[in-house]
Amino acid sequence: MGTEMIDVESQTDHQESPAIYKKANHPVILKFEDVVYKVEIKKEGCLGGKSSKSEEKIILNGITGEVLPGEMLAMLGPSGSGKTTLLTALGGRLGGKLKGSITYNDKPFSNQMKRNMGFVTQDDVLYPHLSVTETLVYTALLRLPNTVTKEEKVAHAEEVLTQLGLEKCKNSIIGGPFKRGVSGGERKRVSIGQEMLINPSLLFLDEPTSGLDSTTAQKIVSTLWELARGGRTVVMTIHQPSSRLFYMFHKVILLSDGNPLYFGNGAEVMNYFSSIGYTPAVAMNPADFLLDLANGIYSGESEEDQKSVKQSLISAYKSKADRVNTTIKEIDNQLPDTVEDKRFGRWCTTWWQQFSVLLERGLKERRHESFSGLKIGQVIVVSILCGLLWWQSDISNVQDQVGLLFFYSGFWGFFPLFQAIFTFPQEHMMLTKERSSGMYRLSSYFMARIVGDLPMELVLPTIFVIITYFMAGLKLTAGHFFETLFVLLFSVMVAQGLGLAIGAMVMDLKSATTLGSVIMLTFLLAGGYYVQHVPGFIAWTKYISLSHYTYKLFLMAQYTPNETYSCGPNVSCTVGSYPMIKLVGLDNKGIALMALAIMLVGYRLIAYLALMRIGVPH
């Protein structure tokens, strides 16, 4: 392993390089020695259920290697060989039973290292309704430090966009499964551009050519080769590269079932396997030959032959591994340690900056959804239908008015609940990606998400009340109207919080919607409208019911206990004595408001704590 690769100055002859090809600020030597990773797998019981017993499965088994600045390392191997797991471990994103030594310039992973590291996932996790320019600009505003002005951040994003050849599509939206946008190669370049904004010294990429045609894949890898040429350390997984791509890799790791079969220079890999008796029968792409070997395919085709080939290759590499380990230990860190030892703050930007950028980005991304004609039309149609069904009912029809008020609490319990349930499961991958890179605080994201959803969460119920209140003939005074509106908006925010909590805890849309339906139906049944004689052993459910307190406050917004209505020919009764109102009561308004306030805060706190699971292990 010659040390000439460490001389970064000699690796590039273009001093005035484009932004993404400039030299790395702090070149990094990545070393990993005897990396082992295990996971526990639950055994299945005799009836197909999970057993209490578990066994450990080795995903990575003693992987050793090193990558120097200016080098591009490719991890090869069939599906399930451990490539992505190793990449995730080297990127500091893998928790659990990870053993071995992974160092960056002979130092462990740290926030300081994270600032100089880029990680491009296999799936391009991007917002579909943002344009290419908006995607890069918002990333720059969040990831670049405050030592760079906002104008400089925007200019830097545009420069990276240009150098990645994205000018033609800079105003096009990213797109997604149901929205036409940029091509697959352009999406991948946007993902790489997001990481290149911080000028990383160490860049990890998981299957950067997956799903791309050979020409586009060539362009992507050529871009990465130029990045390495600028003194960066580039590490990638790649499944089946063409021969053109293969010969661009400086170093190669070949994995099979978590075991290393080769680590070394890419140009020497065929000579190595020839030296241990494995030579291709015909001229072929080296990558194809290596994948055949990793699958145990050489001369025999039976399963036993495949196992024999794998064991032979593992044993042959182990005999060489001691020499590899010795060579790695002999490589001194000859780079000047340009990164200061002072403690780095964890965040590049302030809480308020993060909140502002995330709020603006969220509003732009979700404007199509929040202001969709379908959602607005749904509310207006239901509003008019309610107004017609309860047309000009008065106090003499107290049963009808009570039914309308309970419908208020039921409909505006379910509607915001199911809108909010989808919030965090849909953004789970994005939140995981951005939190792993240390882009922003969880609290700034959480508050931006809640505040960004408020406009439509409050506008739609307001429209609903304006239409139904006057059509249904409820009390036409400002006090009664605004109190009813306040109660509805208050309950909507509580229901939204419950939806956020369920979505954050479950993170599976099907399970979350099922759980949400069960909870809201329970709340409705315990609300005090359907059942008047509730058995004592289950009567406690009304005290945790959102619908109960909302319904109670709606009644108190319209009626007073001594108010009278016609309950028969020439007979007047007090509203407070009406059975369906008496059961709920027209007193203790403060307790009802306090209960809703506790739910308002409590549900959001539960959602926030549930989201704290999403992040990085370090």
Side-chain angles (χ1 to χ4, degrees), residues 40-46 48-56:
E40 287 192 2
I41 300 177
K42 292 281 186 181
K43 291 184 177 180
E44 286 193 359
C46 57
K50 290 292 180 75
S51 169
S52 59
K53 296 181 180 179
S54 62
E55 61 179 12
E56 281 191 338

Side-chain angles (χ1 to χ4, degrees), residues 131-380:
S131 69
V132 170
T133 301
E134 288 172 339
T135 299
L136 292 177
V137 167
Y138 285 129
T139 303
L141 293 175
L142 289 167
R143 296 195 69 177
L144 295 179
N146 280 337
T147 52
V148 183
T149 66
K150 181 177 180 179
E151 292 73 20
E152 290 173 335
K153 291 180 181 181
V154 173
H156 184 57
E158 292 175 346
E159 187 179 2
V160 169
L161 180 147
T162 300
Q163 299 306 328
L164 283 171
L166 295 169
E167 311 99 307
K168 292 182 180 179
C169 62
K170 66 179 183 179
N171 295 320
S172 302
I173 63 168
I174 298 296
F178 307 107
K179 191 75 174 177
R180 186 178 179 86
V182 298
S183 68
E186 289 166 338
R187 286 173 62 90
K188 182 59 66 178
R189 276 180 279 168
V190 172
S191 295
I192 294 173
Q194 284 186 307
E195 302 304 317
M196 293 316 303
L197 286 168
I198 61 171
N199 189 22
S201 301
L202 182 56
L203 181 61
F204 296 97
L205 305 101
D206 191 10
E207 300 281 4
T209 61
S210 176
L212 303 179
D213 61 81
S214 60
T215 303
T216 306
Q218 175 78 17
K219 290 179 181 178
I220 295 292
V221 176
S222 296
T223 300
L224 298 174
W225 189 87
E226 286 289 347
L227 294 174
R229 192 167 175 245
R232 294 176 182 82
T233 306
V234 179
V235 182
M236 73 174 76
T237 64
I238 192 162
H239 183 62
Q240 201 161 6
S242 66
S243 56
R244 285 195 304 170
L245 297 187
F246 183 84
Y247 287 114
M248 296 178 73
F249 304 137
H250 300 94
K251 288 180 178 175
V252 169
I253 286 182
L254 179 62
L255 299 178
S256 175
D257 298 329
N259 296 289
L261 302 185
Y262 177 80
F263 169 76
N265 294 333
E268 299 173 4
V269 63
M270 299 301 286
N271 292 335
Y272 165 74
F273 284 108
S274 295
S275 69
I276 60 174
Y278 292 91
T279 306
V282 295
M284 61 187 301
N285 178 359
D288 293 338
F289 178 65
L290 297 182
L291 285 175
D292 284 346
L293 292 180
N295 281 305
I297 299 172
Y298 181 60
S299 57
E301 296 297 331
S302 70
E303 188 173 337
E304 290 300 320
D305 288 335
Q306 291 177 12
K307 290 181 179 179
S308 175
V309 169
K310 287 183 182 180
Q311 287 301 320
S312 172
L313 292 169
I314 292 171
S315 299
Y317 182 76
K318 282 183 178 178
S319 65
K320 178 197 173 187
D322 290 338
R323 182 157 50 89
V324 173
N325 293 343
T326 302
T327 305
I328 290 173
K329 289 176 182 177
E330 288 175 353
I331 296 178
D332 295 322
N333 188 354
Q334 299 181 23
L335 290 168
D337 193 3
T338 54
V339 182
E340 297 179 15
D341 290 333
K342 67 179 181 181
R343 289 184 63 84
F344 276 65
R346 185 174 180 185
W347 310 107
C348 294
T349 51
T350 65
W351 188 96
W352 181 254
Q353 286 175 313
Q354 294 170 8
F355 170 80
S356 302
V357 174
L358 290 170
L359 178 60
E360 181 182 339
R361 186 182 73 173
L363 289 174
K364 280 194 175 182
E365 166 61 22
R366 296 191 300 278
R367 62 194 169 204
H368 72 286
E369 177 184 332
S370 299
F371 298 96
S372 68
L374 181 64
K375 187 184 295 186
I376 296 172
Q378 177 185 359
V379 171
I380 292 177

Side-chain angles (χ1 to χ4, degrees), residues 2-36:
T3 58
E4 67 276 8
M5 295 296 293
I6 302 178
D7 184 8
V8 179
E9 295 294 333
S10 66
Q11 294 178 47
T12 177
D13 55 2
H14 49 286
Q15 298 299 320
E16 298 299 327
S17 302
I20 63 168
Y21 299 146
K22 288 179 180 176
K23 296 175 185 176
N25 292 329
H26 312 297
V28 174
I29 297 177
L30 172 64
K31 293 183 184 178
F32 45 102
E33 300 177 44
D34 197 25
V35 175
V36 177

Side-chain angles (χ1 to χ4, degrees), residues 406 409-410 413-414 417 494-495 498-499 502 515-530 540-551 596 599 603:
F406 190 76
S409 65
F414 271 101
L417 173 84
V494 176
L498 176 59
I502 294 173
L515 179 60
S517 299
V518 171
I519 291 175
M520 277 308 301
L521 286 172
T522 303
F523 284 177
L524 283 175
L525 291 174
Y529 180 80
Y530 293 116
W540 59 269
T541 53
K542 72 178 182 181
Y543 296 113
I544 62 171
S545 169
L546 160 63
S547 301
H548 170 75
Y549 294 112
T550 304
Y551 176 46
L596 289 182
M599 293 181 188
Y603 289 146

Side-chain angles (χ1 to χ4, degrees), residues 421-566:
I421 274 179
F422 288 81
T423 299
F424 296 126
Q426 288 180 334
E427 293 208 350
H428 182 230
M429 292 180 65
M430 180 64 74
L431 185 58
T432 301
K433 169 193 169 183
E434 295 184 336
R435 289 274 294 151
S436 296
S437 63
M439 192 178 291
Y440 47 71
R441 299 167 176 83
L442 179 60
S443 57
S444 59
Y445 164 81
F446 188 75
M447 290 304 299
R449 196 65 173 85
I450 290 176
V451 173
D453 287 340
L454 280 182
M456 288 306 289
E457 290 290 347
L458 300 182
V459 168
L460 289 179
T462 301
I463 294 172
F464 180 88
V465 170
I466 291 173
I467 294 174
T468 58
Y469 193 92
F470 298 105
M471 290 181 69
L474 297 176
K475 290 186 177 177
L476 299 177
T477 67
H480 290 95
F481 172 79
F482 284 111
E483 186 174 351
T484 302
L485 177 60
F486 169 77
V487 172
L488 183 61
L489 296 182
F490 196 8
S491 68
V492 163
M493 293 180 66
V494 176
Q496 181 198 31
L498 176 59
L500 293 173
I502 294 173
M505 288 189 296
V506 178
M507 280 296 178
D508 175 77
L509 287 178
K510 186 175 181 180
S511 301
T513 50
T514 301
L515 179 60
S517 299
V518 171
I519 291 175
M520 277 308 301
L521 286 172
T522 303
F523 284 177
L524 283 175
L525 291 174
Y529 180 80
Y530 293 116
V531 185
Q532 296 186 38
H533 304 287
V534 182
F537 64 87
I538 201 173
W540 59 269
T541 53
K542 72 178 182 181
Y543 296 113
I544 62 171
S545 169
L546 160 63
S547 301
H548 170 75
Y549 294 112
T550 304
Y551 176 46
K552 182 183 182 75
L553 289 170
F554 276 139
L555 292 175
M556 296 178 74
Q558 286 294 313
Y559 309 118
T560 58
N562 297 323
E563 188 175 352
T564 60
Y565 69 98
S566 176

